[in-house]
Amino acid sequence: MDSHEEQMARRTSGLGRRKFLYSCAMAFAGGAIFAHKSWSQQSPASAGPASPQLIEDLVAANRVLADQGVVDGFGHVSVRHDKNPNRYFISRSLAPALVTAADIMEYDLDSRPVDPRGRDLYSEVFIHGEIYKVRPDVNAVVHSHAPSVIALGVAGILPRPVYHMSSFIGGGLPVFDIRKEMGEDTNMLVRTAERGRSLARVLGQRPAALMRGHGAVITANALPLVVFRSIYLQTNSALQAQALSLNPNSTFLTEREAELVDKELWDQDRHLRAWELWKEKAMGR
Amino acid sequence: MDSHEEQMARRTSGLGRRKFLYSCAMAFAGGAIFAHKSWSQQSPASAGPASPQLIEDLVAANRVLADQGVVDGFGHVSVRHDKNPNRYFISRSLAPALVTAADIMEYDLDSRPVDPRGRDLYSEVFIHGEIYKVRPDVNAVVHSHAPSVIALGVAGILPRPVYHMSSFIGGGLPVFDIRKEMGEDTNMLVRTAERGRSLARVLGQRPAALMRGHGAVITANALPLVVFRSIYLQTNSALQAQALSLNPNSTFLTEREAELVDKELWDQDRHLRAWELWKEKAMGR
Amino acid sequence: MDSHEEQMARRTSGLGRRKFLYSCAMAFAGGAIFAHKSWSQQSPASAGPASPQLIEDLVAANRVLADQGVVDGFGHVSVRHDKNPNRYFISRSLAPALVTAADIMEYDLDSRPVDPRGRDLYSEVFIHGEIYKVRPDVNAVVHSHAPSVIALGVAGILPRPVYHMSSFIGGGLPVFDIRKEMGEDTNMLVRTAERGRSLARVLGQRPAALMRGHGAVITANALPLVVFRSIYLQTNSALQAQALSLNPNSTFLTEREAELVDKELWDQDRHLRAWELWKEKAMGR
Amino acid sequence: MDSHEEQMARRTSGLGRRKFLYSCAMAFAGGAIFAHKSWSQQSPASAGPASPQLIEDLVAANRVLADQGVVDGFGHVSVRHDKNPNRYFISRSLAPALVTAADIMEYDLDSRPVDPRGRDLYSEVFIHGEIYKVRPDVNAVVHSHAPSVIALGVAGILPRPVYHMSSFIGGGLPVFDIRKEMGEDTNMLVRTAERGRSLARVLGQRPAALMRGHGAVITANALPLVVFRSIYLQTNSALQAQALSLNPNSTFLTEREAELVDKELWDQDRHLRAWELWKEKAMGR
């Protein structure tokens, strides 16, 4: 069932460190050092260091998303390299609340790490790479398991903007159901480039997509805005569920209202007011 | 679509600092310094310093509202000047949890800052100024995005007092729907004097009003009471939703009960017992 | 409408300190020192100091109830004097989270303070005194506004034990509706001995009673157990609401099950395991 | 009603320390030292010290479960001895948040303490011992009162995996209703070996079982995984309730999807990413 690509991804990124070392030793012992060598050949070149501010913001985004309950031990956030649009940064496999600058890894858009350093890596990096490939307007991506968003998703209810803070979803969000896209026999995870491409296709030009039975993917042109959208997608989902339980005909923002407020608010960096607060709360702890 | 007034408001208060400096530079470069000059001419005179206690309470009110979850990165609270009823105080554009005395600005009732100092300002200050104009009994105003209040509002359910703590809503609260008042093409925000007047008109003599798809505005004769009402409007909304989901015919306070308990409790400063607690929790952190 | 008794209660216990001092001054100035003198004549004798452990536990009970969300700025807890069953202890008017040993006042069972010391006092002390009068088995009383309990109460749903932790409510709890007991024109508050007697009558021999649109009163033979019951009444109410929303025919404990587990658990001081934890959490902060 | 076994369990483990000392004194005074002597005769031999890492992990598991809200003052977690499969470790009777290495006790699979040291002991240890007897694959057991799980249980709704994090419940979980298994006259508690055997029988080969009106029991091959499953069973139960309230026909993971993702994720120690985070949060406080 698993493609060669998926097996490779698992072997190099999906193993606990002890198991990884053990399997490397086994591979060497048997002379079958194929995995290691092919990896070396595939490693893309680095695009050089990013601006320190970008890495600092990426660490802050990890901490804020954890502090605000959008991610728990799982979920991840990435940012496109500010010196080369064909590279992006994301943490090694680690709970977002624990991420520091030393944990940040550089990847190319095929989601190959520039320098794996034998580290455990997120297995679903393809979510990020495949979106960066087809969405030049996107510079930051969040993958979350936010509970209220998941509840809406499995109930088959599409997010609608309850208030102006979630105006970015006014145009509607698609749902990626891996079962429909990739067949009955998937393990739910976006662990291959093929699945990443499928998700990016369903996302299209929208700012975010739900992932049925899994979570969501949220995009923006920068880290503070992708964090803002991730937090308010979560809050809005909870509000929408409450409103619908009170009245199935609740009044949500019209597409026109959402469009106008989105333009007014975010053209003018208003979301940075929240970003400053969230950083202070998350980094001060 | 936007009035001249709205464009002015946006230019002077809606910009991030970097964008503001940039646009000032552009304005000077092109000789079109109209905005800056007209602003100088319009700046109202200061009514002099407020009592230190008033500013201290305004800072505390900001922190308490954030600590109690009534406001997040957004929302604001103001207080009328204790030396001149034609002036009020409110923070510069900042998350309420971060407000200090140094951030407090003085405005006239047309919501023009006495001394903008090139700072980012809240764009919806008209909510405050237009209410102070027509409600001499009101000395403090909160604008919040409290989630449980928003859920009731979009579901079209009017707040009713579930228990004695929320007796102030016994007479009923109106709902301001900007779409109905100002037309289909608004951006939801009360960013002009005209919209502020419309909201004040809908509020009438009530202590608070819901704002559909946006939040609420709450008033009182002093800061501790407006904070008290903001917190219990939120709690009451959540309780009302719970009660209605259990029984659509739940028993709320009668108007008479609410009137009697409101008189008993707040005539006698009982709400200060909570204010002391909230301040200790919010300022001690 | 208000009885003389109620007016007295308000005058001596319902005023903010500044207002109290002011009204005393006024009273003296006009020669009408009736209130003060009559109070002196009424003051009951002290039964002497309680054991330090009892006062320590009363302070802890205040802090734990606040820390666990059973009380907020309002609500109170009392304990019967361990040297004289005709006296009880309760804090002066203060948020439970802030109570220290210095705030504890001694009352007789008519709810007259032994030594008011000019302090603001809780106006609803009659809840406590009138229950102690008719329930010699009760040595500790909590009055709370716990939200989940209030929601059940106004929805007209009687608490049922969802699990063994709330076995004490297996025999059913009554609801005190002040409107039905005292007429349409009450201010909801148990601020007179007459209302306290009415509440005690409705309570009967049960461990607790709901108060419609107000909260609940919970009793036990000692402070740790009354705190335990207050906390699990709250948790149970939330659980019961959840279960009923999922299935109106949810299976609760039978009266027999509740009786057996209540006997097993509390005969053997099992609840002290939680009391130790709660004290550590609440007092350590 | 109570068997001799149950009375023994109560006498030796169910008493508060003061009551225990008192009853010992009474027993000696009357010459009836049967309980003490028979206990000495029954005490099993120790299997020697466990690896320090195992005890450290057991303490961490206690703290994490408390910190994540799976247990409150009650509930417990055990681990099988790593040197002898016929012994297991569990804390003395204590709130999990307070457990240290000094509180850990050794038991045999009949749930007899190796060295009771006069300590208060959990009365429901039979849950653990009887499962270890019949499930050699199980090395760690949690008994919790997690609220969202209890609500599902009493509503008669079987847990279904809402998302990949709870894939371990894809095969379904049984419900242990002590009333059906042991008759109408139980006190709900698994305080005898007989009741423990009954629970283990209902559990069968499943990873977990609900206990109606009581809580749940969760098993795994190691402590980090049993903690992971306990936390996500709780989260999943809340999510499932939310989803069902929005749409009774919500889409949950198919059994096949759950099986595949369970295999992928946990074969590769992915859950350790969360374990590291939870330990840091719980132990750092």
Side-chain angles (χ1 to χ4, degrees):
Chain A
M1 207 79 263
D2 289 351
S3 65
H4 168 72
E5 189 174 25
E6 182 169 22
Q7 289 177 33
M8 286 302 298
R10 188 166 58 223
R11 194 170 307 176
T12 52
S13 72
L15 293 171
R17 173 170 298 233
R18 285 167 299 183
K19 284 192 184 169
F20 178 80
L21 294 176
Y22 175 78
S23 65
C24 282
M26 286 302 99
F28 276 102
I33 53 172
F34 160 74
H36 182 72
K37 283 192 68 172
S38 68
W39 190 260
S40 301
Q41 289 164 354
Q42 289 177 353
S43 282
S46 170
S51 83
Q53 181 64 45
L54 194 77
I55 301 301
E56 199 177 291
D57 278 0
L58 182 55
V59 171
N62 273 278
R63 303 291 188 90
V64 166
L65 290 168
D67 192 50
Q68 297 288 319
V70 175
V71 298
D72 55 5
F74 302 91
H76 20 80
V77 50
S78 70
V79 67
R80 198 191 288 268
H81 199 310
D82 57 346
K83 305 288 169 46
N84 184 336
N86 294 315
R87 296 288 180 277
Y88 69 92
F89 296 100
I90 195 169
S91 169
R92 68 181 175 97
S93 176
L94 195 64
L98 304 180
V99 168
T100 65
D103 301 307
I104 303 300
M105 312 289 291
E106 183 184 356
Y107 284 80
D108 72 358
L109 300 195
D110 287 330
S111 296
R112 297 176 306 172
V114 163
D115 179 6
R117 285 177 272 174
R119 288 174 156 185
D120 274 359
L121 305 178
Y122 291 136
S123 63
E124 296 190 299
V125 283
F126 302 101
I127 294 173
H128 303 263
E130 297 302 320
I131 290 175
Y132 288 127
K133 269 188 198 166
V134 297
R135 287 284 299 273
D137 61 311
V138 166
N139 293 317
V141 175
V142 165
H143 170 54
S144 81
H145 303 166
S148 62
V149 182
I150 290 173
L152 276 199
V154 303
I157 292 173
L158 291 178
R160 294 279 305 280
V162 174
Y163 65 156
H164 59 315
M165 304 310 285
S166 42
S167 53
F168 79 100
I169 59 174
L173 300 184
V175 179
F176 174 73
D177 187 337
I178 201 166
R179 197 191 301 166
K180 288 179 188 154
E181 304 295 330
M182 309 297 295
E184 297 275 335
D185 275 325
T186 80
N187 59 15
M188 302 298 295
L189 303 173
V190 183
R191 297 181 87 162
T192 67
E194 186 190 3
R195 293 178 188 180
R197 278 191 297 271
S198 175
L199 172 59
R201 207 156 43 226
V202 168
L203 173 67
Q205 296 305 308
R206 300 295 190 187
L210 305 197
M211 299 163 76
R212 190 270 308 164
H214 187 152
V217 61
I218 303 101
T219 71
N221 66 347
L223 282 166
L225 188 55
V226 84
V227 167
F228 184 96
R229 287 176 170 179
S230 299
I231 289 171
Y232 281 106
L233 174 59
Q234 174 178 255
T235 305
N236 191 76
S237 300
L239 275 175
Q240 187 177 348
Q242 278 178 42
L244 290 175
S245 77
L246 288 165
N247 180 357
N249 297 313
S250 290
T251 304
F252 301 120
L253 265 61
T254 62
E255 200 165 334
R256 176 75 176 144
E257 284 175 332
E259 183 190 343
L260 287 170
V261 71
D262 202 47
K263 188 170 183 310
E264 278 286 302
L265 287 174
W266 317 129
D267 278 5
Q268 297 179 37
D269 293 344
R270 282 284 154 189
H271 62 286
L272 295 180
R273 195 196 303 169
W275 172 247
E276 293 308 317
L277 173 67
W278 292 327
K279 274 199 298 185
E280 175 132 342
K281 287 177 91 166
M283 306 303 284
R285 287 187 182 172
Chain B
M1 207 78 267
D2 289 351
S3 65
H4 168 72
E5 190 174 23
E6 183 169 23
Q7 288 177 33
M8 287 301 299
R10 189 166 56 225
R11 194 169 306 177
T12 53
S13 72
L15 294 170
R17 173 169 296 231
R18 283 169 300 181
K19 284 192 184 170
F20 177 81
L21 294 176
Y22 175 79
S23 65
C24 283
M26 287 302 99
F28 276 102
I33 53 174
F34 159 75
H36 182 73
K37 285 192 68 172
S38 68
W39 191 262
S40 301
Q41 289 164 355
Q42 288 177 353
S43 282
S46 171
S51 83
Q53 181 65 45
L54 195 78
I55 300 301
E56 199 178 291
D57 278 1
L58 181 55
V59 171
N62 272 279
R63 303 292 188 88
V64 166
L65 290 168
D67 192 49
Q68 296 289 321
V70 175
V71 297
D72 54 5
F74 302 92
H76 20 80
V77 50
S78 70
V79 68
R80 198 190 288 267
H81 200 310
D82 57 346
K83 307 287 169 47
N84 183 337
N86 294 315
R87 296 287 181 278
Y88 69 92
F89 296 101
I90 196 169
S91 169
R92 67 180 175 99
S93 175
L94 194 65
L98 304 179
V99 168
T100 66
D103 301 307
I104 304 300
M105 313 288 291
E106 183 184 354
Y107 284 81
D108 72 359
L109 299 195
D110 287 329
S111 295
R112 297 177 305 173
V114 163
D115 179 6
R117 285 177 273 175
R119 287 175 156 185
D120 274 359
L121 305 178
Y122 292 135
S123 62
E124 296 191 297
V125 283
F126 302 101
I127 294 173
H128 303 263
E130 298 303 320
I131 290 175
Y132 288 127
K133 270 188 198 168
V134 297
R135 287 285 298 274
D137 61 310
V138 166
N139 293 317
V141 174
V142 165
H143 169 53
S144 81
H145 303 166
S148 62
V149 182
I150 290 174
L152 276 199
V154 303
I157 293 172
L158 291 179
R160 294 278 306 279
V162 174
Y163 65 157
H164 59 316
M165 305 311 285
S166 42
S167 54
F168 78 100
I169 59 174
L173 300 185
V175 179
F176 174 73
D177 188 337
I178 200 165
R179 197 191 302 166
K180 289 178 187 153
E181 304 295 329
M182 308 298 294
E184 298 274 335
D185 274 325
T186 79
N187 58 18
M188 302 298 293
L189 303 172
V190 184
R191 298 181 86 161
T192 67
E194 185 191 4
R195 293 179 186 179
R197 279 192 297 272
S198 175
L199 172 60
R201 206 156 44 226
V202 169
L203 173 67
Q205 296 306 307
R206 301 294 191 186
L210 305 198
M211 299 162 75
R212 189 270 308 164
H214 188 152
V217 61
I218 303 101
T219 72
N221 66 347
L223 282 166
L225 189 55
V226 84
V227 167
F228 184 95
R229 287 176 171 179
S230 300
I231 289 170
Y232 282 106
L233 174 59
Q234 174 179 255
T235 306
N236 191 77
S237 300
L239 275 175
Q240 187 177 347
Q242 277 177 42
L244 290 175
S245 77
L246 288 165
N247 180 356
N249 297 313
S250 290
T251 304
F252 302 121
L253 266 61
T254 63
E255 201 165 335
R256 177 75 177 143
E257 284 174 332
E259 183 190 344
L260 287 170
V261 71
D262 202 46
K263 189 169 180 312
E264 279 286 303
L265 286 175
W266 317 130
D267 278 5
Q268 297 180 38
D269 293 344
R270 282 284 154 189
H271 62 286
L272 295 180
R273 196 196 304 169
W275 172 246
E276 293 308 316
L277 173 67
W278 292 328
K279 274 199 299 185
E280 173 132 342
K281 288 177 91 167
M283 306 303 285
R285 286 185 186 176
Chain C
M1 210 76 268
D2 288 351
S3 65
H4 167 73
E5 189 174 24
E6 183 169 22
Q7 289 177 33
M8 286 300 298
R10 189 166 56 223
R11 194 169 307 174
T12 53
S13 71
L15 294 170
R17 172 169 298 233
R18 284 167 300 181
K19 284 191 184 169
F20 178 81
L21 294 176
Y22 175 78
S23 65
C24 283
M26 286 303 98
F28 276 101
I33 55 172
F34 160 75
H36 182 73
K37 284 193 68 172
S38 68
W39 190 261
S40 302
Q41 288 164 355
Q42 289 176 356
S43 281
S46 170
S51 83
Q53 181 64 46
L54 195 78
I55 301 300
E56 198 177 293
D57 278 359
L58 182 54
V59 171
N62 273 279
R63 303 292 188 88
V64 166
L65 290 168
D67 192 50
Q68 297 288 321
V70 175
V71 298
D72 54 5
F74 302 92
H76 19 80
V77 51
S78 70
V79 68
R80 199 191 288 268
H81 200 310
D82 57 346
K83 305 289 168 46
N84 183 337
N86 295 315
R87 297 287 181 278
Y88 68 92
F89 296 101
I90 195 169
S91 170
R92 68 181 174 98
S93 175
L94 194 65
L98 304 179
V99 168
T100 66
D103 301 307
I104 304 300
M105 312 289 290
E106 184 183 355
Y107 284 81
D108 72 358
L109 300 195
D110 288 329
S111 296
R112 296 176 307 172
V114 163
D115 179 6
R117 285 177 273 175
R119 287 175 157 185
D120 274 359
L121 304 178
Y122 293 136
S123 63
E124 296 190 299
V125 282
F126 303 100
I127 294 173
H128 303 263
E130 298 302 321
I131 291 174
Y132 288 127
K133 269 188 197 166
V134 297
R135 287 285 299 273
D137 61 311
V138 166
N139 293 317
V141 174
V142 165
H143 169 54
S144 80
H145 303 166
S148 62
V149 182
I150 290 174
L152 275 199
V154 303
I157 293 172
L158 291 178
R160 294 277 308 279
V162 174
Y163 64 157
H164 59 316
M165 304 311 285
S166 42
S167 54
F168 79 100
I169 59 173
L173 300 184
V175 178
F176 173 73
D177 187 337
I178 202 167
R179 197 192 300 167
K180 289 179 188 154
E181 304 295 329
M182 309 298 294
E184 297 275 335
D185 275 324
T186 79
N187 58 17
M188 303 298 294
L189 303 172
V190 184
R191 299 181 86 160
T192 67
E194 186 190 4
R195 293 180 187 179
R197 278 192 297 273
S198 174
L199 172 60
R201 208 157 41 227
V202 169
L203 173 67
Q205 296 306 307
R206 301 295 190 186
L210 305 198
M211 300 163 75
R212 189 270 309 163
H214 188 151
V217 61
I218 303 101
T219 71
N221 66 347
L223 282 166
L225 189 54
V226 84
V227 167
F228 184 96
R229 287 176 170 178
S230 299
I231 290 170
Y232 282 106
L233 175 59
Q234 174 178 255
T235 305
N236 191 77
S237 299
L239 275 175
Q240 187 176 347
Q242 278 178 40
L244 290 175
S245 77
L246 288 165
N247 181 356
N249 298 313
S250 290
T251 305
F252 302 121
L253 264 62
T254 63
E255 200 165 334
R256 177 74 177 145
E257 285 175 332
E259 184 191 343
L260 287 170
V261 71
D262 202 46
K263 188 170 182 309
E264 279 285 303
L265 286 175
W266 317 129
D267 279 4
Q268 297 180 36
D269 293 344
R270 281 285 155 190
H271 62 286
L272 295 180
R273 194 195 304 169
W275 172 246
E276 293 306 317
L277 172 67
W278 292 327
K279 273 199 300 185
E280 173 132 343
K281 287 177 91 167
M283 306 303 284
R285 287 185 183 175
Chain D
M1 209 79 267
D2 289 350
S3 66
H4 168 74
E5 189 174 23
E6 181 169 22
Q7 289 177 32
M8 286 301 299
R10 188 166 57 223
R11 194 168 308 175
T12 52
S13 71
L15 294 170
R17 174 169 296 232
R18 283 169 301 182
K19 284 191 184 170
F20 177 81
L21 293 176
Y22 175 79
S23 66
C24 282
M26 287 302 98
F28 275 102
I33 53 173
F34 160 75
H36 181 73
K37 284 191 67 172
S38 68
W39 190 261
S40 302
Q41 289 164 353
Q42 289 176 353
S43 282
S46 170
S51 83
Q53 181 64 44
L54 195 77
I55 301 301
E56 198 178 293
D57 278 0
L58 182 55
V59 170
N62 273 279
R63 304 291 189 88
V64 166
L65 289 168
D67 192 50
Q68 297 289 319
V70 174
V71 298
D72 55 5
F74 301 92
H76 20 80
V77 51
S78 70
V79 68
R80 197 192 288 267
H81 200 310
D82 57 346
K83 306 289 168 47
N84 183 337
N86 294 316
R87 297 287 181 277
Y88 69 92
F89 297 101
I90 195 169
S91 170
R92 67 181 175 98
S93 176
L94 195 64
L98 304 180
V99 168
T100 66
D103 301 307
I104 303 301
M105 312 288 291
E106 183 184 355
Y107 283 81
D108 73 358
L109 299 195
D110 288 329
S111 296
R112 298 176 305 172
V114 163
D115 179 8
R117 285 177 272 175
R119 288 174 155 186
D120 274 0
L121 304 178
Y122 292 135
S123 63
E124 296 190 298
V125 283
F126 302 100
I127 294 173
H128 303 262
E130 297 303 321
I131 290 174
Y132 288 127
K133 269 188 198 166
V134 298
R135 287 283 298 273
D137 60 311
V138 166
N139 293 317
V141 174
V142 165
H143 169 53
S144 81
H145 302 166
S148 62
V149 182
I150 290 174
L152 276 199
V154 303
I157 293 172
L158 292 177
R160 294 279 305 279
V162 174
Y163 65 157
H164 60 315
M165 303 311 285
S166 43
S167 54
F168 79 100
I169 60 174
L173 300 184
V175 179
F176 173 73
D177 187 338
I178 201 167
R179 195 191 303 167
K180 288 179 189 155
E181 304 295 329
M182 308 298 295
E184 297 275 334
D185 275 324
T186 79
N187 59 16
M188 303 297 294
L189 304 172
V190 184
R191 298 181 85 161
T192 67
E194 186 191 3
R195 294 179 187 179
R197 278 191 296 273
S198 174
L199 172 59
R201 209 159 39 228
V202 169
L203 173 67
Q205 297 305 308
R206 300 296 190 185
L210 305 197
M211 299 163 75
R212 190 270 307 164
H214 187 150
V217 61
I218 303 101
T219 71
N221 66 347
L223 282 166
L225 189 55
V226 84
V227 167
F228 183 97
R229 287 176 171 180
S230 300
I231 290 171
Y232 282 106
L233 175 59
Q234 173 179 256
T235 305
N236 191 77
S237 300
L239 274 176
Q240 188 177 347
Q242 278 178 42
L244 290 175
S245 77
L246 288 165
N247 181 357
N249 297 314
S250 290
T251 304
F252 303 119
L253 265 62
T254 63
E255 201 165 333
R256 177 75 177 143
E257 284 174 332
E259 183 191 343
L260 288 170
V261 70
D262 202 46
K263 189 169 182 310
E264 278 285 304
L265 286 174
W266 318 129
D267 279 5
Q268 297 178 38
D269 292 344
R270 283 284 154 189
H271 62 286
L272 295 180
R273 196 197 302 170
W275 172 246
E276 293 307 317
L277 172 67
W278 291 328
K279 274 199 298 184
E280 174 133 342
K281 287 177 90 167
M283 306 304 283
R285 285 187 184 173

